Amino acid sequence: MDASSGDEVCAICALHRDEDHLKTHEIWRSDRWLLRHHPGPAPLTGWCLLDARRHCGGPMEFVPEEAREWGLVVQQASKLVQRVSGCDRVYAIAFGEGARHLHLHLIPRVGGDARTTAWAVADHYRNVEEGRTVAASDAKVRDWMARARAVAPDLFEGAFSMDR
């Protein structure tokens, strides 16, 4: 499951084995998917990542079961972000260069928040990452996570296995 080239180990695969990280950031998982909040510094409260659990670069590499589930899991994860955040929309973005392991960014888009408009969200991300802009408050992220974990079972129940 863990892909490596030379001495490099996939950062997402390593993160999936980091129980401390998962305890604080994981919202939901199935046999194939893991939904987690963006780690600190989080650009926005509610900015989530939907990962393939096996090492996979993207939809072109899906096995048939992953391909069949993908639309439904993205839909349910997006509904979760919208429900808990109260946002207007949810952007879904995956580039695959930072880590060549599928991790779809699910970003809450709030109409009155200029940081979340179209490409401005990428600038905001970089500004937080480089320390030029204040990240989301840890307390707000923890509160959001608690609410998201409470909502997740209802949204995903029956669609995906909740076993760890």
Side-chain angles (χ1 to χ4, degrees), residues 47 93 95 107 115 117-127:
W47 186 309
I93 302 171
F95 293 109
I107 307 164
R115 300 172 305 168
T117 59
W119 291 104
V121 78
D123 294 332
H124 176 69
Y125 186 91
R126 283 189 294 272
N127 287 336

Side-chain angles (χ1 to χ4, degrees), residues 1-4 10 13 16-17 31 52-56 101:
M1 277 223 181
D2 194 14
S4 54
C10 172
C13 289
H16 288 180
R17 290 190 307 272
D31 293 340
R53 297 237 357 243
R54 78 173 180 90
H55 185 80
C56 167
H101 180 132

Side-chain angles (χ1 to χ4, degrees), residues 97-112:
E97 291 303 315
R100 292 189 179 201
H101 180 132
L102 178 62
H103 59 289
L104 180 70
H105 291 254
L106 297 171
I107 307 164
R109 166 67 176 113
V110 178

Side-chain angles (χ1 to χ4, degrees), residues 12 26 43-44 62 83-84 95 107 110-111 119 141 145 149 152:
I12 304 292
E26 181 178 318
L44 298 166
F62 283 168
R83 185 176 295 174
V84 178
F95 293 109
I107 307 164
V110 178
W119 291 104
V141 169
M145 289 285 305
R149 287 173 174 155

